[in-house]
Each structure stands twice: as C-alpha cells, then as structure tokens.
Amino acid sequence: AITTGGSGQAFCQVGVIGEKSTRDGRRQSRLVRGDAEGLRIFTVNHHLGGSERLDMEILYNKDPLQTPEFKVFGDDGWIEAPKDMLFNLLCIKWADDGCYLESFYGENPDAQLVPVSDHSPDGKVCWWHMADGKVLVLHDGMLVEDDSKTLAPLGIVLDRAELKGKEIVVADEGRLAMTYWDNDDAIDGVETCVIHPNDDGSYYRRFQRNKLRRTQEKQREDLAKKFVSKLKSRKNK
C-alpha cells in the first residue's frame, strides 16, 4: 500500500523478493526512478519475471517551496499469492473443530508421544498448543505458527521440502516438538530433528539466530534422543 501525508510525505510498504522470506506468498519490491520533473514509484512483480507497475507519481512544483503533487494509482490485485499459500489465511480454527490435538490427550492421558501426522490425513488441518502456549499448525505438508490469541498465521516453521518423508510428534507434554524419519544408518533406524524455538520463544522461521541458544537446543536434542526407542516401537506396530 502507498499513502500520502502532509508536508509532502509518502509512505510505502515494501515487500520481499526471496521465496523463503515471504509470509503470504506474495513476492514484490519497490523501485524509485527520478528525473527533473519528479519521482515515480513502481512495484516489481517477482511472480511475472520482474514486471513493473507504476503506483505513484510525485511531480515537483515550479516553486520549490510548495508541496509536490502526488498521484496515487489504484491497486488492481496485480500481485496474487499462490493458491497453496492461502490455506491458512482462510482456515478458521476452534477447540471443537476435530483438528485440535487436545482431543488426543483426552483419549490418551498417559501418552508420551503425540503422533501429529495421524491427525492430519488428506490435507486436514491439525493444530495444537505447545506447553508455552505457542500454536503450531500442520496442513498441506507445511508446519506454520499462528498467533496464540487471534490464531492468525505468523510464518512458516517448516516448508514442504523440509517435511517431505518425515513425521511430526509432540513429546514431554508439549515441551518438545520434533520430526522423525526412517534412516537405516541411524540408531534404531530412526533419525530425529528437534523443532527449536527462536530467541523470543516463537517458532516461525528467522534468518539470524542467536548462537548462544545452542546450549538450550542441545538439551532439547538430547531429550529427543531419549524418545527414539519409543518411535522405533511405534514404527514396528
């Protein structure tokens, strides 16, 4: 969006270029060109090979003490999010929707491992609260974090490529989430990967992480290894 304010001000929201840094699937950036007559602000659509759209013209006044003329052009929905990225924006969740893992705990109060994937067949949404209150959602082959109050999506935790061929389990009463997959070279034939939170406690992907958190990560990884034997027995059932 582009808006104008007083005193010759223009406010522009900028987008993202990279596929992994976008939250809603839209990939766009801004481009500013200028000449003796003024400035022009374009949106660059990275879904269409870098096509440009003129969004605003700022025309200089002959009197430099006067405010420039602003021309804002309408948004025609030119940049559309891929359909497979819209699922979570359209999914309304509530505790009795049959997709909430709390029902699993109710039926299996002594369970140490919660098999998330068993509750997400055929693309069905499955969501749960971690012990710290954070909300994770599994749907359409991706793991996403939602805001704990509004249940609106915050960002991707693991994408399809990272989850391909893997299962997700929640352990230690929601204190630990991890993926596991078959690996003949691993101990007991099962490989695990802990889903670590960020420095602020959130889980959605960040690109600059505090290395001091490695000690806490190592503790969770050691805890995950203790559950390998249970995963092995589950696999052989």
Side-chain angles (χ1 to χ4, degrees):
I2 297 181
T3 58
T4 59
S7 303
Q9 299 173 346
F11 300 90
C12 302
Q13 290 182 338
V14 296
V16 293
I17 299 175
E19 292 183 359
K20 290 189 176 182
S21 58
T22 178
R23 195 173 78 180
D24 62 1
R26 294 179 174 88
R27 297 172 53 213
Q28 71 281 336
S29 54
R30 302 289 191 188
L31 178 65
V32 180
R33 290 194 176 99
D35 55 27
E37 295 182 352
L39 299 174
R40 283 170 291 280
I41 300 177
F42 298 83
T43 294
V44 180
N45 188 333
H46 297 282
H47 299 282
L48 297 177
S51 300
E52 298 177 10
R53 180 189 66 188
L54 178 62
D55 286 328
M56 171 179 278
E57 285 185 336
I58 304 174
L59 303 177
Y60 299 143
N61 196 298
K62 293 182 179 180
D63 183 353
L65 299 179
Q66 296 297 318
T67 302
E69 178 185 358
F70 290 85
K71 293 183 178 180
V72 180
F73 303 94
D75 185 353
D76 57 3
W78 180 55
I79 298 177
E80 296 292 339
K83 292 182 179 180
D84 60 356
M85 291 290 294
L86 292 175
F87 73 91
N88 209 35
L89 300 176
L90 303 177
C91 175
I92 301 175
K93 296 172 283 294
W94 61 93
D96 297 326
D97 60 6
C99 305
Y100 187 44
L101 278 191
E102 187 68 26
S103 59
F104 178 91
Y105 286 111
E107 298 171 2
N108 304 272
D110 298 325
Q112 292 181 308
L113 294 171
V114 181
V116 175
S117 299
D118 287 0
H119 295 262
S120 184
D122 302 323
K124 181 180 178 181
V125 176
C126 180
W127 63 288
W128 66 94
H129 283 85
M130 297 295 290
D132 58 5
K134 299 297 187 294
V135 176
L136 299 182
V137 182
L138 177 65
H139 180 70
D140 198 23
M142 292 189 290
L143 184 64
V144 178
E145 181 178 1
D146 278 7
D147 180 80
S148 58
K149 293 183 179 180
T150 65
L151 297 181
L154 295 175
I156 293 176
V157 181
L158 296 172
D159 59 28
R160 291 190 186 90
E162 293 168 313
L163 277 180
K164 186 177 181 180
K166 301 176 182 178
E167 303 290 336
I168 299 178
V169 294
V170 181
D172 196 26
E173 298 181 344
R175 296 181 180 85
L176 173 71
M178 60 184 177
T179 59
Y180 74 94
W181 61 98
D182 296 338
N183 186 345
D184 294 335
D185 297 328
I187 299 175
D188 294 328
V190 177
E191 189 84 16
T192 63
C193 181
V194 175
I195 301 172
H196 294 289
N198 299 305
D199 297 343
D200 61 357
S202 64
Y203 286 85
Y204 64 93
R205 181 177 291 137
R206 306 293 176 86
F207 292 90
Q208 293 183 353
R209 306 190 69 247
N210 189 337
K211 294 181 180 179
L212 295 179
R213 292 296 301 275
R214 181 56 189 167
T215 299
Q216 294 173 314
E217 293 180 356
K218 185 65 167 57
Q219 292 174 346
R220 286 189 290 270
E221 289 170 354
D222 291 341
L223 180 60
K225 292 178 181 178
K226 295 180 181 180
F227 289 101
V228 170
S229 59
K230 297 183 182 296
L231 293 173
K232 178 67 174 180
S233 62
R234 168 178 161 77
K235 171 187 172 185
N236 294 332
K237 287 183 179 180

